Amino acid sequence: MTRKVVVVGAGVVGAACAFHAASAGLDVTVTDRGPVGAGTTSRGEGNVLLSDKEPGPELALARLSRTLWDEAGQELGPDTLELEAKGGLVVASGAENLAALQEFAARQEAAGVRVERVDRVRDLEPHLAPDIPGGVHYPQDAQVQPVLAAAALLRAALRRGARFHPGEVAGAVTGRDGRVTGVRTAAGDVLPADAVVNAAGTWGGEVGRRLGAPVEVLPRRGFVLVTEPLPPMVRHKVYSADYVANVASSDAGLETSCVVEGTRGGTVLIGASRERVGFDTTMNTAVVARLAAQACRLFPFLRGVHLMRAYRGFRPYCPDHLPVVGPDPRVPGVVHACGHEGAGVGLAPATGALVTAHLLGRPWRGADPAAHTGLLPDRFLTPGGVPQ
Amino acid sequence: MTDPADLIVVGAGPAGLAAAATALAGGLRVVLLDSGTALGGQYWRHPPEHARAAVPTDDLHHGLDRYRALCKALAQHRTSGRLDLRLEHHVWSAVRDGDGFAVHAVDRHEAPRETAVVVRAPRLLVATGAYDRQLPFPGWDLPGVLTIGGLQALLKGGGVAAGSRVALGGTGPFLLPVAAGLAARGVEVVEVCEAAHPRAWLRHPGPLLRNPGKWAEGAGYAAALVRHRVPLRPRAAIVAAEGGERVTAVRIASLAPDGSPRPGTERRVEVDAVGVGWGFAPQLDLLVPLGCALTDGVDGNAVVAVDEGMRTTVPGLYTAGETCGVGGAALAVNEGRLAAASVLADSRATRVPADKHLAALRSAVARQRAFARAMALAHPLPPAWSSWLTDETVVCRCEEVTAGAIRSARADGAHDHRQVKQLTRAGMGWCQGRMCGPAVHCLTARRGAYEPAERLVATPVTLGALADLDEAPAGTTCTADTACTAVTACTAGTTGTVCTQASTDNGETDKECS
Ligand SMILES: Cc1cc2nc3c(=O)[nH]c(=O)nc-3n(C[C@H](O)[C@H](O)[C@H](O)COP(=O)(O)OP(=O)(O)OC[C@H]3O[C@@H](n4cnc5c(N)ncnc54)[C@H](O)[C@@H]3O)c2cc1C
Ligand SMILES: Cc1cc2nc3c(=O)[nH]c(=O)nc-3n(C[C@H](O)[C@H](O)[C@H](O)COP(=O)(O)OP(=O)(O)OC[C@H]3O[C@@H](n4cnc5c(N)ncnc54)[C@H](O)[C@@H]3O)c2cc1C
């Protein structure tokens, strides 16, 4: 049985893995080359969404995760996570778009998502543009503050006996049978382990390679805009319905469809674009302008509001836009938990529970490995274990 | 100006003015942008042209001959059409654009209306100066507590004295001209608290002896203070401000060598305004996102790394003046000239400065930089300044984050201002950490130079102006000397350099994103 677990990565996903594994009584060491939550977790918006997911493996994980965020909130205190169940409002840009949205929502409802048709969107969001024909309200959509959440989950894991070991993972130590017996850090330390969890986010591809179990995880750049603080004007997470199309798309070019929401601090967040440009960090003013234009179309009052800040990050995505969660058949002991793209914050607790279930060999906190086979790394491998 | 520009200069302070003048004299076409209403930057700040007669400020200035000569040179080139001068243009981003640069600004000369403007050129010179470095202390967020730069800007830019009984504190020689300027306007400067000891200068006598002009400048201010009976207290600091609606008093203490207040020396002094300055932090917001390398400056700030011709590590990108570290206006002027000389050489201009002239310029800059280094070493931040703080002292004013919250983030493992920001929101507010960044850095990192967080948006800009940028047809350009303020006035396809998009309210025709 697995006793000693090393989690590589202290982003929100690694922290959630550590939290659940430590809660299950495993001996957990978390290692990261930087501080908690400083990777992509510090670049995300913290949406915990069901609304943007079509029925399938990701929605199943998201539904579990939504429940587990509530449980984490109860255990750790909702304020430590800034967990807020504010609900999402997806609005249509035209009659055709509205029909597509309603059809999409009906399928989600059949998969267990709570949806409410909204004909008069301004009853929910008084400052929306007057010409919006309608939308769908998703009361389960919520948000957390990603870095605070990661820090709180990690702190709780440490209270439950986990350790934090700063360092960069350089490779795996394997026994004669090819099983992992530990990880080696760049500083030369060896952390003994029966299992290693690859929770390295956007760098999960590289960490997988170092562990002898390569998976393809690619960066997808996103910009987020933050306005000056305002009195509350936007109550929900408000998205245009083409968000739904973008998330599922695999087009190479730029995609933007803005998500607008107010924060506790009074700022309005507008996110996020999607571009496949590798790890290119340069500012793209055209993308920023496009996001601004879309936000102003949803909420005309924003035209007079100042943009105060913009930031960007690199979402980790797998070629099929699903996370890779589960044991790698090539190197016994390696368990992947990465590639969550634009939903890693939302999906973190369920990922942590699912990883723990894989480690225990039995369901854990509602996560049953048998119910999430669509996320296994096997899908990228031929029966002989060779990447397809 | 109908031909494309060769060079964009951002910042019309001493460095940017000198750079633009040299580049123009060398035959280049230049676009010069500044957010201010007049040329001159911090040092030669003036009221806007139309208000000059009503607000005389000449007596507050030094080196006005040079300023006027620079302004005159620029005016001639404006007439000839080779200078495109854009005041009240706030640059919010500078990005690479093909082989050159695109500079994004908003034109606020009809504020509150904002118009997005894009300027393009193969070379870019950023001379955005520096801003006051602040250290928090109890009461520093009271109305009436200002930076010395702010006090000086009010005085030079509008002839306004911020109070009638003013105490100044901090460190560095720039406290003196502010005290002298206030005194000249009849303000009672009750005390000037200098945290350092003048003896510190004697540790680096070389640069002092090689810069007699600086001596004379300092002596002039000192004489002015004596004349106005302004007491100058070395090794003292304003450690607290008191008041209700507004500041009414400060607490002043003598400092031990480590900068902690000497017990029992605290005095209460009544005032109606306070000016504080702990040196300056370079304004790097446009430079950092372009990826140019920084280096540690002696004053605890990261500054731009440049070669001896003021080239940054990014090809085509130059900088001059306080972005390379604080050193005064004369140095900024010389660096501006030097940077422009490099631009001329690199763009193979026909009229480049003679080698002899360049050599003289380089040696002047080296001499003045050495002086700036000696100045920084003589006026360090007091190591124990944080002993003035209580746990309740607000450090980040915008988000109201206290010293206690920052200390506990540090205990949680945050070891720089970026992580503190994630955990406490310090630096997430309106000023984006420009004010509290250096202090948070000192409170958490304790070592290494302060490197500002990357700010992709250098100055707040309305979403409406940005939206119009998106809605303008791609590739639309217009000529810069025509008063082109609306999209429709732009002629597509001309080889102009400037594209202006006006805020329109019927811009709802955006292409759909699929
Ligand atoms: C603009 C933008 C908006 C987003 N909005 C949302 C949103 O609203 N909702 C949502 O759910 N998601 C959102 N996301 C996505 C979300 O941020 C990510 O999916 C999530 O943060 C991934 O978390 P992680 O823990 O897997 O990765 P990370 O947070 O990147 O953590 C990985 C960690 O691994 C460490 N690491 C890497 N290599 C090594 C090594 N060799 N040794 C040691 N440590 C290593 C890194 O230092 C890092 O700390 C957004 C992302 C972006 C870019
Ligand atoms: C209180 C005080 C007293 C001083 N006393 C003296 C003295 O006695 N002797 C001396 O030699 N020096 C003195 N100085 C220093 C002197 O002011 C500077 O050395 C000099 O102004 C630096 O020139 P600069 O061109 O590098 O920057 P600045 O003069 O600061 O000019 C920078 C310009 O860039 C513009 N700018 C910045 N960002 C943007 C943007 N995003 N978009 C558009 N425009 C932008 C600003 O508006 C400004 O006009 C003093 C400074 C202060 C604050």
Side-chain angles (χ1 to χ4, degrees), chain B residues 11 14-15 34-35 41-43 91 129 152 174 177-178 217 221 280 322 328-329:
Chain B
D34 197 293
S35 52
Q42 175 67 25
Y43 188 63
V91 177
Q152 198 198 41
F174 299 139
V178 178
E217 197 181 331
Y221 292 131
F280 302 90
E322 315 257 81

Side-chain angles (χ1 to χ4, degrees), chain A residues 8-14 31-35 38-41 43-47 167-169 199-203 207 210 222-224 272 313-316 340-346:
Chain A
V8 185
V12 67
V13 172
T31 175
D32 197 303
R33 59 186 178 193
T40 309
T41 295
R43 301 305 173 119
E45 284 169 280
N47 294 322
E168 162 147 5
V169 168
T202 317
W203 303 274
V207 167
R210 292 183 187 187
F223 283 93
V224 178
F314 298 91
R315 303 177 188 84
H340 294 77
E341 199 159 352
V345 179

Side-chain angles (χ1 to χ4, degrees), chain A residues 22-33:
Chain A
S23 303
L26 298 174
D27 174 344
V28 178
T29 303
V30 180
T31 175
D32 197 303
R33 59 186 178 193

